[in-house]
Amino acid sequence: MTIRFGYGTNGLTDLRLDDALGLLADLGYDGVGLTLDHMHLDPLAPDLAARTRRVASRLQELGLGVTVETGARYVLDPRRKHGPSLLDPAPDARAARTRLLVRAVSIAADLGAHAVHCFSGITPPDTTPGAAWQRLADSLAPVLDAADRSGIPLAIEPEPGHLLADLADFHHLRVLSGDPPPLGLTLDIGHCQCLEPAPPADCVRDAAPWLRHVQIEDMRRGVHEHLPFGEGEIDFRPVLEALDALPATGYRGLTVVELPRHSHAGPELARTSIEFLRKHSPSSR
């Protein structure tokens, strides 16, 4: 099997990070999508360098690859979900998100991560599309500089309801920013089912040249709700066939199960998810 499966720690928030990593290794996952958050490698707490070294050692000990994810809901502001964003009207607030992403790039380099994931945020009220896109490009510029220096690509995720919501929006940002080499794409398979005009397997093939990270879960058309496999509408065999072909395009990253609202059942869903993915992968036939 050429697909390298991981599981997101945002779906294991009831576990200590060391326990979550041990669980994933025992289940046979190849890696982890590590969301920097107050319970899992807090990027704003003291002794970050020492804590990062310990996590890097644990990942190496367990043989797990890693992608750093930055979608923690309240890591910057305990009262505003995903706030402040890269689109915040206040320059100081946007700068706080930029600093967090630059720090995430540094953490990713110390962990030997494949990429750093991020997303744009929701367009604030009374903000024109042109102003929002310019804020996004300007806010990401220092992050892309850091990514270029470290050799860790930045993988922005099209997120339903955000300014950058779909693959067409990713290409708009890419052109607006001057097509910087460190700027890549996180493709969420469920989001493709939710709102992209093409089937998810076609999205994988279309996105391949820019793909730096993949997230996977089930979903229904027009409903942005991350579901365990088998509870949505996605036909996973063609999707997994397309993912299986990605190494031929140069993709060496992870395909990470993304169930952030199911942490209460995280250990069991981690088990059933890897069983489902193995059963439906091309190598199982």
Side-chain angles (χ1 to χ4, degrees):
M1 188 186 306
T2 59
I3 309 173
R4 302 179 66 242
F5 293 118
Y7 200 93
T9 59
N10 60 2
L12 295 169
T13 56
D14 292 274
L15 276 67
R16 297 176 183 87
L17 180 57
D18 190 63
D19 292 336
L21 297 178
L23 169 73
L24 298 182
D26 287 346
L27 290 172
Y29 281 93
D30 301 294
V32 59
L34 175 57
T35 296
L36 304 179
D37 208 346
H38 61 87
M39 79 295 287
H40 289 159
L41 195 55
D42 188 340
L44 303 181
D47 301 320
L48 177 60
R51 290 184 290 112
T52 301
R53 285 194 297 272
R54 286 196 293 271
V55 173
S57 177
R58 181 65 169 155
L59 290 167
Q60 185 174 24
E61 173 192 347
L62 295 171
L64 293 173
V66 60
T67 298
V68 169
E69 301 193 354
T70 61
R73 294 182 179 94
Y74 296 99
V75 69
L76 283 178
D77 188 331
R79 301 188 181 191
R80 278 200 299 161
K81 182 181 177 182
H82 297 312
S85 79
L86 296 168
L87 308 178
D88 199 285
D92 289 349
R94 296 198 298 275
R97 178 63 63 173
T98 296
R99 285 194 299 272
L100 177 66
L101 294 179
V102 170
R103 181 168 295 188
V105 171
S106 176
I107 293 170
D110 290 341
L111 293 177
H114 301 292
V116 171
H117 148 280
C118 70
F119 44 60
S120 69
I122 297 169
T123 303
D126 302 320
T127 303
T128 65
W133 282 108
Q134 194 58 55
R135 284 179 194 170
L136 179 60
D138 292 346
S139 297
L140 284 177
V143 188
L144 291 167
D145 287 344
D148 191 39
R149 291 192 299 271
S150 69
I152 305 291
L154 184 69
I156 194 163
E157 178 187 5
E159 184 81 20
H162 284 211
L163 173 68
L164 198 155
D166 56 24
L167 289 173
D169 290 335
F170 166 72
H171 291 298
H172 179 72
L173 174 66
R174 189 172 59 82
V175 173
L176 178 66
S177 304
D179 201 13
L183 179 62
L185 174 70
T186 292
L187 188 70
D188 187 299
I189 301 302
H191 295 173
C192 296
Q193 175 70 19
C194 180
L195 53 70
E196 292 287 351
D202 288 349
C203 292
V204 172
R205 287 184 282 268
D206 293 343
W210 301 276
L211 206 53
R212 303 296 179 265
H213 184 43
V214 177
Q215 297 172 344
I216 192 166
E217 70 285 315
D218 217 338
M219 203 168 287
R220 301 185 183 99
R221 184 70 178 172
V223 182
H224 184 203
E225 181 182 3
H226 291 235
L227 299 171
F229 298 115
E231 296 186 14
E233 300 171 341
I234 298 176
D235 179 2
F236 279 98
R237 284 207 180 270
V239 172
L240 291 166
E241 287 176 353
L243 290 170
D244 193 58
L246 279 177
T249 71
Y251 183 70
R252 298 291 184 271
L254 297 168
T255 294
V256 170
V257 179
E258 184 80 357
L259 293 172
R261 296 185 179 181
H262 293 76
S263 186
H264 62 283
E268 177 63 11
L269 281 171
R271 180 187 67 80
T272 57
S273 294
I274 192 69
E275 290 174 354
F276 179 96
L277 292 167
R278 286 171 175 159
K279 178 180 178 181
H280 291 82
S281 293
S283 61
S284 69
R285 300 179 191 179

